[in-house]
Amino acid sequence: WLKQFSHPPPASPPLSSSLPSLLINMPFVKFENIAREWRFKWSTDDDNASLMKAQSALEDVLADISSLEGASSVQRVVCGGCQDFKVITKLSEKAFKEWEAKSFEPEAAFLEAVKKIPGITQVETQTYTLEEVKMNKKDIKKAQEKKDKEAAEKKDEKPAEDPAKKLKKVIKEGGKRGVEIEGAADMGGLQFFCTSVDEPEGNLDLLKESVAAMNAKSDPTEEERKGGSGHIGKMVFSAGIEQLAIVAYVPEDKREALSCQEWLQKVVSMFPGGKVVDGAADISTGVIPTDSDKGVFPLKIRESLILEANNFLRKLGLFPEDDGDDDDEMVFGDDDFPSM
């Protein structure tokens, strides 16, 4: 037998007063039947004499409870280990209320009888919902298919990467990108540069680490140069599933010409939900969340925002004017750096 507690939908009649308050505000467990339980403990003394007398007392009222209007089952539970004796009468909710109105007759007489039996203790009653929840073959198949599908999806999920290894990849990518930015900016005589990186995957903290690696001073003694673009202002984008992360950086000698926060604010304001997370004179950070309902996807909007960042610089005379040929527009993403 199974106990389930619930509260019916609001449109249903009031529940039986015998049901505990736990049933309130639990519409997710539906029920149509209510059970009344009579229970007590019996003793093994005198060769289980109390158990035999309890069975006799039940037989005296069994016909009465079996004939109750709306009764769908009458069950007896006897446990030889804990010496439980239980009688469970299950009825429809409507029939239960009618039985309740009659004080669950013949409950009082039965309980009084068993209380008089030597060795019988802990005589109690309880009301609860009681439903058959066994699935049919069709539902079992559906449940198993759902379970198998969820297991397959979980198996296909990409395991979480070790944070230390991930940070190492971010810094490596950022360091290489810094060298390439320095070279590309020097060739074009640029003071500012806009680009994107992959490894941070939309994580703002990791993107800041990437930009820091770009700005780090190059060590001439190292076999492979890293960083070296700290003198170049930049806006760097990283697309993830949940958001597009953006970091703007303006070196100290260029802050009179450009406000880092204003530059970033212009870019994030292009799409709903975009915001500046941290606005500072040197480094400002922001995000634009994914919004599938409005067609806002990080990878889809990234390149258009790089163009917008460049246009903001043009208006201030900080970036070469567009001569009308789209092929000459200086938008640098991952494809522009084959060494990555």
Side-chain angles (χ1 to χ4, degrees), residues 318-339:
L318 300 175
F319 199 80
E321 288 294 332
D322 184 3
D323 61 6
D325 186 348
D326 289 340
D327 292 336
D328 293 334
E329 175 61 280
M330 294 183 181
V331 177
F332 296 88
D334 302 319
D335 295 338
D336 299 293
F337 299 104
S339 65

Side-chain angles (χ1 to χ4, degrees), residues 59-270:
E59 291 173 357
D60 288 342
V61 299
L62 189 56
D64 294 330
I65 54 179
S66 297
S67 60
L68 285 170
E69 186 67 30
S72 57
S73 69
V74 178
Q75 299 170 296
R76 184 202 64 193
V77 179
V78 177
C79 177
C82 58
Q83 283 79 58
D84 275 342
F85 191 109
K86 302 178 181 182
V87 180
I88 305 164
T89 306
K90 175 182 173 182
L91 305 90
S92 65
E93 184 179 355
K94 180 177 180 297
F96 184 89
K97 291 176 182 177
E98 294 174 354
W99 188 32
E100 182 182 34
K102 298 177 182 178
S103 301
F104 304 112
E105 187 180 354
E107 179 180 286
F110 173 73
L111 297 181
E112 186 62 29
V114 297
K115 285 179 181 178
K116 294 179 180 179
I117 299 174
I120 297 295
T121 59
Q122 301 181 36
V123 180
E124 300 171 331
T125 63
Q126 185 177 355
T127 296
Y128 44 78
T129 68
L130 184 61
E131 296 296 325
E132 175 61 60
V133 295
K134 181 181 177 181
M135 290 181 168
N136 56 39
K137 291 183 178 179
K138 184 178 179 180
D139 290 337
I140 291 173
K141 183 179 179 181
K142 286 183 179 180
Q144 189 59 51
E145 289 175 348
K146 181 181 178 182
K147 186 176 180 180
D148 292 343
K149 182 180 178 182
E150 291 175 347
E153 290 175 349
K154 187 174 182 180
K155 184 178 180 181
D156 292 338
E157 287 180 0
K158 184 179 178 181
E161 189 171 0
D162 179 81
K165 291 182 179 180
K166 181 63 175 176
L167 179 58
K168 187 176 180 179
K169 288 182 179 180
V170 167
I171 293 174
K172 182 178 180 180
E173 180 188 41
K176 286 185 175 182
R177 187 58 53 87
V179 172
E180 290 158 348
I181 288 174
E182 180 187 27
D186 286 349
M187 282 192 300
L190 302 177
Q191 303 178 68
F192 295 91
F193 200 92
C194 297
T195 187
S196 63
V197 288
D198 287 335
E199 287 297 343
E201 297 181 305
N203 183 297
L204 201 51
D205 290 334
L206 290 179
L207 183 56
K208 288 172 65 177
E209 293 288 350
S210 178
V211 173
M214 295 178 197
N215 294 339
K217 290 184 178 180
S218 293
D219 185 348
T221 64
E222 288 186 333
E223 182 177 345
E224 183 179 8
R225 289 186 65 229
K226 301 173 185 175
S229 66
H231 61 292
I232 301 168
K234 57 182 65 68
M235 185 173 287
V236 185
F237 299 75
S238 178
I241 295 175
E242 298 181 356
Q243 66 182 20
L244 178 68
I246 310 168
V247 171
Y249 163 74
V250 177
E252 186 175 2
D253 63 343
K254 295 178 174 62
R255 290 171 197 167
E256 289 186 7
L258 176 66
S259 165
C260 187
Q261 184 172 356
E262 288 180 9
W263 187 23
L264 180 60
Q265 180 61 53
K266 175 59 178 177
V267 173
V268 297
S269 66
M270 298 301 295

